[in-house]
Amino acid sequence: MTMENILVPFCRYSPDLKSLYHSFALAERVNAKIFVLFFKDRKTGAATAVETACIKIVNSACEEGLAVSYHIAGPDPEEELEGFIKAEHIHMIIIGTGDTRIESVVRQISPTLPVRIIKVEGKTHKLPN
């Protein structure tokens, strides 16, 4: 069975981590590697609550044996998203409801790339302390 590559993009304004939780559940079923791509301004060192929680969750998932990697990109998804998708041979992108900036960029580039897009709607997970 071949491994799927799943991209879960976030930015500092992403409202929650539903898409990340969904990607973990899916990865266990379809033999997938998850790439978390966080768009942030590299000049500001302060992490948002979503970013801090995301890093904690990724680290825990790695300890549990899931194939997850965390990547930081510049603040402009328009410039970097397409290149990342091509470089990492991404098959699927999972985005959360309410992450309008990421969703807009993904929808713009999706006609040019052979990727499936899943928009996660569902129960809310609390951010870890």
Side-chain angles (χ1 to χ4, degrees), residues 24-69:
F24 291 162
L26 184 60
E28 291 177 337
R29 292 192 311 263
V30 301
N31 189 34
K33 178 173 182 179
I34 299 168
F35 295 84
V36 177
L37 184 60
F38 202 98
F39 295 95
K40 67 182 278 181
D41 185 350
R42 292 185 177 124
K43 294 176 185 172
T44 58
T48 64
V50 168
E51 182 181 6
T52 301
C54 188
I55 292 168
K56 269 185 173 177
I57 293 165
V58 166
N59 287 337
S60 293
C62 288
E63 289 173 6
E64 294 294 323
L66 278 176
V68 183
S69 60

Side-chain angles (χ1 to χ4, degrees), residues 68-81:
V68 183
S69 60
Y70 183 85
H71 306 268
I72 296 174
D76 192 7
E78 291 87 353
E79 289 181 16
E80 298 191 47
L81 195 57

Side-chain angles (χ1 to χ4, degrees), residues 13-123:
Y13 303 108
S14 297
D16 58 49
L17 299 173
K18 290 177 193 173
S19 56
L20 186 59
Y21 288 107
H22 185 82
S23 72
F24 291 162
L26 184 60
E28 291 177 337
R29 292 192 311 263
V30 301
N31 189 34
K33 178 173 182 179
I34 299 168
F35 295 84
V36 177
L37 184 60
F38 202 98
F39 295 95
K40 67 182 278 181
D41 185 350
R42 292 185 177 124
K43 294 176 185 172
T44 58
T48 64
V50 168
E51 182 181 6
T52 301
C54 188
I55 292 168
K56 269 185 173 177
I57 293 165
V58 166
N59 287 337
S60 293
C62 288
E63 289 173 6
E64 294 294 323
L66 278 176
V68 183
S69 60
Y70 183 85
H71 306 268
I72 296 174
D76 192 7
E78 291 87 353
E79 289 181 16
E80 298 191 47
L81 195 57
E82 187 171 354
F84 190 88
I85 291 168
K86 289 177 180 176
E88 298 298 341
H89 308 287
I90 300 298
H91 302 101
M92 181 183 300
I93 302 172
I94 300 179
I95 55 177
T97 300
D99 202 342
T100 55
R101 182 164 185 223
I102 295 294
E103 181 178 357
S104 173
V105 174
V106 167
R107 299 274 181 212
Q108 283 177 343
I109 66 170
S110 66
T112 64
L113 298 170
V115 296
R116 290 174 285 171
I117 301 169
I118 295 176
K119 184 175 179 181
V120 176
E121 298 179 28
K123 66 180 184 179

